[in-house]
Amino acid sequence: MEILVTGHPQRWEELRNSRSFDGHAVHWEQELQPQRSPADLVIDLSLDEQPENLMLYAMKPEVPVLACLVKTAPAAWAHYPHIYGCNLLPGFISMPRLEIAHAAPGKQLENIMQELGWEYDVIQPATGMVTPRVVCMIINEAYFTAEEGTASREDIDTSMKLGTNYPYGPFEWSEKIGLRNVYEVLQAVARENGNERYGISPLLQQEYEAQL
């Protein structure tokens, strides 16, 4: 299978170091070229940040696309049956199972994942998906706790790992995912459903703005 991977180099590094492409010809380019070489599959690691690529994919419905669409509302892409929303945010790419959003995945996705040899779970399309939304909410709550002075960041991380058997504490997760991604996931979910529970911690907001 000819596979074109496009997107941020950090995500490409995590992908190629954690998932096998044995038996496939893989080409990576940071910026998608409109006159790209023919491919049997496209993996777009940064479609959330480069939504203009969506129109290029819409013009090639015969080429399936696995795309990072965690922060993009499904209304913008879910009507394209060949585009599969994936959790390809930093820190999640190397997880054992890939989270894929699609209303009716069918045989095409099954065949793709079988050829790749990757484990995966299918969910219904939703902004924030499942794992990113939950983890980002935990990180946000950790920021509220740190802001109150109830515990240090190190103590919060240690408590979460010991108490829940999570692989990382919330602040460790935040570093892996990137604070900008955490902020934008929370912002996107809050924008879609208007629920106050996704209100961003002032401390998280402050640190996010300091990085701009």
Side-chain angles (χ1 to χ4, degrees):
M1 184 162 54
E2 296 281 344
I3 302 173
L4 171 64
V5 182
T6 184
H8 196 281
Q10 175 194 346
R11 301 190 196 188
W12 166 231
E13 187 74 14
E14 184 177 349
L15 182 69
R16 68 177 181 175
N17 287 337
S18 61
R19 297 190 180 276
S20 171
F21 287 97
D22 290 349
H24 304 291
V26 183
H27 169 70
W28 170 76
E29 53 190 41
Q30 184 168 345
E31 301 289 338
L32 184 67
Q33 304 302 313
Q35 301 299 325
R36 65 184 188 272
S37 301
D40 302 307
L41 172 68
V42 174
I43 301 176
D44 191 323
L45 303 170
S46 303
L47 188 52
D48 272 330
E49 293 79 26
Q50 297 172 310
E52 64 276 8
N53 289 354
L54 194 59
M55 290 300 99
L56 296 176
Y57 301 140
M59 296 168 61
K60 293 278 188 179
E62 71 277 10
V63 179
V65 181
L66 302 179
C68 188
L69 286 164
V70 177
K71 298 178 284 187
T72 304
W77 58 270
H79 55 288
Y80 299 114
H82 65 298
I83 296 178
Y84 301 88
C86 299
N87 177 13
L88 292 168
L89 291 176
F92 294 107
I93 294 172
S94 56
M95 293 180 70
R97 300 180 70 86
L98 181 63
E99 188 174 328
I100 301 177
H102 200 280
K107 199 69 177 176
Q108 184 183 56
L109 179 63
E110 182 181 338
N111 291 340
I112 290 169
M113 302 310 285
Q114 187 172 7
E115 279 198 63
L116 289 171
W118 297 359
E119 298 292 327
Y120 68 104
D121 295 299
V122 178
I123 64 166
Q124 285 297 304
T127 304
M129 301 186 72
V130 175
T131 309
R133 181 186 294 210
V134 171
V135 172
C136 289
M137 284 183 66
I138 291 171
I139 292 169
N140 196 38
E141 288 300 320
Y143 267 92
F144 276 117
T145 302
E147 188 176 13
E148 294 166 356
T150 307
S152 70
R153 298 185 185 212
E154 293 76 13
D155 288 343
I156 293 170
D157 278 344
T158 300
S159 298
M160 287 296 294
K161 287 188 286 188
L162 293 178
T164 63
N165 201 32
Y166 284 2
Y168 309 109
F171 292 102
E172 292 172 328
W173 260 121
S174 181
E175 289 183 12
K176 288 182 173 294
I177 301 167
L179 191 61
R180 175 180 176 179
N181 288 317
V182 173
Y183 178 89
E184 290 178 352
V185 167
L186 293 168
Q187 185 183 54
V189 175
R191 186 187 302 119
E192 181 166 286
N193 61 32
N195 195 319
E196 292 182 0
R197 67 189 295 194
Y198 298 105
I200 297 172
S201 154
L203 181 59
L204 193 158
Q205 175 93 29
Q206 178 183 334
E207 293 189 7
Y208 164 76
E209 291 175 352
Q211 292 183 1
L212 298 179

